[in-house]
């Protein structure tokens, strides 16, 4: 079964996610923004979710991590938790 590792930033609004994505595009540190803005407990670890398998995250999240290009920031992706910016670090 495939595994992947990803970092993410979770915020309440699409507008906030888009603002953070612009900062990332200008070279801001993903980890620093996650620590400062993410509402997920993983924010304390720079947004790092560690390694996981398909089905361990919500479907919209899995679709990004297991199907979209790695090492790119995707989003905002809406889930029941809010809006995510997701960067897949690797998958195998």
């Amino acid at each position: 079964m495939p595994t992947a590792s990803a970092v993410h930033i979770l915020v309440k609004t699409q507008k906030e996610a888009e603002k953070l994505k612009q900062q990332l595009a200008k070279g801001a540190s993903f980890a620093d923004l996650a620590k400062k803005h993410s509402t997920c407990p993983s924010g304390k670890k720079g947004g790092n979710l560690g390694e996981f398998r398909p089905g361990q995250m919500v479907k919209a999240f899995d679709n990004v991590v297991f199907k979209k290009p790695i090492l790119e920031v995707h989003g905002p992706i809406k889930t029941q938790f809010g809006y995510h910016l997701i960067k897949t670090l690797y998958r195998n």
Side-chain angles (χ1 to χ4, degrees), residues 14-61:
Q14 184 171 353
K15 189 175 180 181
E16 191 178 356
E18 286 167 355
K19 211 181 289 183
L20 291 171
K21 190 170 184 179
Q22 288 173 355
Q23 289 179 40
L24 290 167
K26 291 176 185 164
S29 160
F30 198 102
D32 290 347
L33 290 181
K35 286 176 185 168
K36 195 170 182 181
H37 299 281
S38 187
T39 60
C40 179
S42 70
K44 291 184 185 77
K45 297 183 287 184
N48 194 332
L49 295 166
E51 192 173 272
F52 53 91
R53 298 180 181 284
Q56 288 185 281
M57 302 291 177
V58 294
K59 189 164 179 45
F61 202 95

